Amino acid sequence: LDVAVHHLRRGTIDHALVGGSDAGMGVEGYVKFSKIGALSPDGSRPFDATANGFVMGEGAGMLVLMRRADAESEGRKIYAIIKGIGASSDGRGKGITAPNPRGQKRAVTRAYEDAGVDPKSITYFEAHGTGTPVGDPVEVGSLVDVVGRTTHGAGLGSVKSNIGHLKAAAGAAALLKTTLALHHKTLPPTLGVENPNPKLPLEDGN
C-alpha cells in the first residue's frame, strides 16, 4: 500500500493492485504460535478483559487503487479515499507479540501528518488488535499517546474478532473491512468484547 500510494502520487503508475493472501494453516504455524503463547484456546476477543490471543484464519483480499481525479474522470465507483499513509519499523523489540511503542507511534504520526488531518477528528480506528496480553495495550496506548483524548469519543475495532488473524493478509482484511464500512455506512461489530481490558488506557471504556 505504501509503495502503491508513493508511485501513484509520482505518476509513475496509473493503477495498482494492493492486497494479501494467506493459506498458511499448516501444523508448523500452529506449533510456532502456540510456543510463543499467541493462540487463544477459546476464541478471538481483541480489547476484552478475557482476551488471551488470536485464532488463526485463512483468506485473501485485493483492492484497486488509482488517483482520485482519474477515477472520477473515468466514472469509476469509488469506495474510499486514502488521504495519507504512514509506515515504520518497530526495530529491535521484545518479540513478535510485544510491539515497540516507538515504532507504533512513529507510523501513526507519519500517517496523520501525510494526510494533513487532525487525529482528534477521527471517529473510528481499525486496529491490528490481535487480542494478545501485551499487543493490545501497547497498540492502544501508542494510539492514545498520538491522538490524545477526544471529546466525541471514537470507535475501536479489529476484524480479527470476525474472521480470525489472516497473518500475511491481515492488513488487507482490515483495509477491506474499513473501506466497505465507509461505503455502506455500516460498521461491523467487534465481537466478544464484554468488558474492556483494564490495561487499555481508556476512559469509561471509550
Side-chain angles (χ1 to χ4, degrees):
L1 181 66
D2 185 50
V3 172
V5 170
H6 172 74
H7 283 285
L8 283 166
R9 287 174 171 174
R10 288 187 62 187
T12 51
I13 61 173
D14 296 322
H15 302 82
L17 283 175
V18 172
S21 175
D22 195 299
M25 294 284 277
V27 173
E28 296 84 359
Y30 279 101
V31 171
K32 176 180 69 175
F33 286 120
S34 293
K35 282 184 175 180
I36 63 175
L39 293 185
S40 169
D42 54 9
S44 181
R45 299 177 298 279
F47 315 121
D48 188 68
T50 63
N52 55 6
F54 60 81
V55 174
M56 286 172 61
E58 293 180 318
M62 299 294 292
L63 299 93
V64 178
L65 270 59
M66 57 192 303
R67 287 178 291 274
R68 180 178 182 175
D70 293 343
E72 290 175 340
S73 67
E74 294 178 15
R76 301 284 185 175
K77 189 172 186 176
I78 299 174
Y79 286 85
I81 305 293
I82 297 174
K83 289 191 172 183
I85 191 163
S88 176
S89 169
D90 274 2
R92 181 178 293 178
K94 295 180 180 179
I96 190 172
T97 60
N100 188 322
R102 288 183 297 174
Q104 300 262 311
K105 289 186 278 191
R106 191 178 298 121
V108 175
T109 299
R110 288 173 176 171
Y112 289 118
E113 289 177 348
D114 184 47
V117 172
D118 180 359
K120 286 185 170 59
S121 69
I122 305 301
T123 56
Y124 177 73
F125 298 93
E126 174 65 21
H128 189 52
T130 57
T132 55
V134 178
D136 284 3
V138 167
E139 182 178 13
V140 175
S142 300
L143 192 60
V144 170
D145 284 348
V146 173
V147 177
R149 301 293 177 182
T150 63
T151 56
H152 54 70
L156 176 69
S158 171
V159 73
K160 292 176 182 63
S161 76
N162 307 102
I163 60 174
H165 193 340
L166 305 192
K167 293 90 67 191
L175 187 57
L176 279 165
K177 169 195 166 182
T178 309
T179 297
L180 291 172
L182 286 169
H183 178 70
H184 293 292
K185 296 182 174 59
T186 301
L187 184 63
T190 294
L191 305 179
V193 182
E194 300 291 338
N195 298 294
N197 186 340
K199 294 181 179 179
L200 303 182
L202 303 175
E203 292 182 351
D204 299 324
N206 296 314

